[in-house]
Amino acid sequence: MSVLPVDYAIRPEAGEPFLQADRSTPCLLVIFGAAGDLTRRKLIPALYNLLCERVIDEWFAVIGYSRTEQESEAFRATLESAVKEYSRTQPVDPLVWQSFAKRIEYVRGSFEDPEGYNALRQRIDVLEQGFGTGGNRLFYLATPPAAAPQILHRLQEAGLLYDSSDETPWSRVIMEKPYGRDLTSAQELNRIVGEVLDESQVYRIDHYLGKETVQNILVTRFGNTIFEPLWNRKYIDHIQITAAESIGVEGRGRFYDQTGVVRDMVQSHLLQVLSLCVMETPISFAADDIRDKRVEVLRSLRPISGDGIEKSVVFGQYRGYRDEENVDKDSRSPTYVALKCFIDNWRWQGVPFMLRVGKHLKARMTEISVVFRPVPHCLFGRDDVCQTLDSNVLTIRIQPDEGIDLKIISKQPGDSLQVGTVEMDFSYSDAYNHPIKDAYERLLLDAMRGDATLFARRDEVEHAWRFVTPILQAWERATDRYPAFYAEGSAGPVEADKFMHRYDRKWREIV
């Protein structure tokens, strides 16, 4: 197989963008759990980059809230080091940072102590007047989901939440995953959140949806007539979605041993990507029109339960996992899972969707591969020759090298009729000069704008758990079963390859 170079000719369409990206509105951002890694590695670097690009309104400020004992000056110094280490914009511009640092304050308090929220309110009053944020408030819960009900009730008691996000001033809340541990806990969390907030105020974040190539799935499908007519059971053999990580649990042993890969990745990231990949055409690009179609996909997933778990799911664990800090020495928590599922609707009936995700694999790679059906009749000699030809495959690369490639069959040069496969490759970094935003940059900006398109809705979360929970329950009941072990740096357990061979298919190589 060879890769064809592509001569990129990017021709912007005349006129205004289809959806104009506005600047953010003035607001105050309060980060709960501000002393944690998420704030240092993602949130503050994302805000700094948005300031560099001048897309955040100048009337903007940040308050970090955590139980850690420190002053605002020490908090700013910690964040400055984080920006220098994790920001995609380097070197750090001292003028931009100085302007940003003046807008950052810190409040010490526990999640349950009302006095902490009184101190927070006083600091909010000062910053809202000093920076003219108009009373708009965005609360980011960079905390375990179990802390969310207590935080929300304390915010309500302190008078820091408004009734709706559709009016000015507004208040909105961003909530991190995992949103519950199963269907029952997710429904209960939704019920509690609904007592405090209107659904329009809740932004359940999944950073995968903020990635540029994930957003491009819909444009690729619905903006190109060469793809959409083929996007169905008649032409597609199967679809693979892979999310491979080259690292292990990285010091998160206690969290991961209680959560596992299914809760951490399948219920959120993979099902969100799947729903975008196969959803029906929305009537518009409005947030709820798109989310309605994503929910339809989740509702149509065929349940996997009982004996179906044995036939449709492979659980794996990398060999050194039990030696990780804070991991049980007899842990059954999977760090890898491969599963086959079906969507019971007119378009996709009978088409298998092969999902796999794992830690400590041979490379970091997230992609969607649409494998088309083979040609119906062999014209190139013996049947065994034709059977060696690969199918056409359209691959959308989500990370690390964002782009799209298409594998096609082509005649090789020469007098004889000899055919082979070639790949036509499009890379975002080669085609566009504009830097690709980090997912958190896009999602923070959308929350400030009030655009919920890339955030999960209440019913969306519950339908995802409705599919995943029976799988988890079957695994947790089967205490005599252990995950298939695989070597660090491999492609996963050999059982996953055998799983594909049973269906006369093979995984895409992890490279």
Side-chain angles (χ1 to χ4, degrees), residues 102-305:
K102 293 175 183 177
R103 304 166 185 274
I104 299 174
E105 294 287 338
Y106 181 81
V107 174
R108 179 183 178 276
S110 66
F111 298 152
E112 63 273 3
D113 183 12
E115 289 304 313
Y117 292 83
N118 290 334
L120 176 61
R121 175 166 190 148
Q122 292 172 15
R123 196 66 59 90
I124 287 176
D125 289 340
V126 171
L127 292 185
E128 284 182 341
Q129 294 178 21
F131 291 102
T133 60
N136 297 322
R137 299 163 185 168
L138 179 61
F139 298 96
Y140 198 117
L141 307 192
T143 63
Q150 193 167 56
I151 294 172
L152 293 176
H153 281 117
R154 289 287 185 259
L155 286 172
Q156 185 183 48
E157 291 166 4
L160 293 171
L161 296 174
Y162 306 121
D163 291 335
S164 172
S165 71
D166 297 331
E167 302 172 356
T168 302
W170 49 257
S171 58
R172 300 172 187 142
V173 177
I174 299 177
M175 300 184 66
E176 274 284 345
K177 72 172 190 70
Y179 202 81
R181 284 186 55 81
D182 52 24
L183 177 59
T184 301
S185 59
Q187 289 173 326
E188 177 62 11
L189 183 55
N190 275 333
R191 184 191 66 78
I192 295 171
V193 170
E195 292 176 350
V196 180
L197 299 169
D198 182 79
E199 177 63 22
S200 64
Q201 296 174 278
V202 185
Y203 288 68
R204 299 172 187 84
I205 194 169
D206 181 345
H207 73 273
Y208 261 52
L209 291 186
K211 295 180 181 295
E212 191 73 40
T213 33
V214 172
Q215 299 166 47
N216 195 38
I217 293 171
L218 298 185
V219 177
T220 300
R221 282 189 56 194
F222 301 129
N224 297 285
T225 55
I226 62 172
F227 293 137
E228 180 54 23
L230 309 180
W231 216 261
N232 54 61
R233 67 186 188 280
K234 184 176 180 181
Y235 296 101
I236 292 176
D237 178 79
H238 72 284
I239 292 179
Q240 296 183 27
I241 300 178
T242 297
E245 296 183 81
S246 58
I247 60 174
V249 295
E250 298 290 291
R252 296 194 308 153
R254 180 175 288 106
F255 163 80
Y256 208 85
D257 210 34
Q258 296 175 357
T259 304
V261 71
V262 178
R263 289 187 176 93
D264 188 41
M265 293 289 290
V266 177
Q267 183 273 334
S268 52
H269 301 337
L270 263 64
L271 291 187
Q272 290 283 1
V273 172
L274 172 65
S275 63
L276 282 173
C277 186
V278 303
M279 61 182 258
E280 296 295 329
T281 311
I283 61 174
S284 79
F285 260 57
D288 275 329
D289 289 336
I290 291 177
R291 297 198 292 183
D292 285 345
K293 295 303 179 182
R294 295 205 308 249
V295 169
E296 284 182 6
V297 173
L298 298 175
R299 290 181 60 192
S300 301
L301 280 167
R302 185 184 301 173
I304 303 176
S305 59

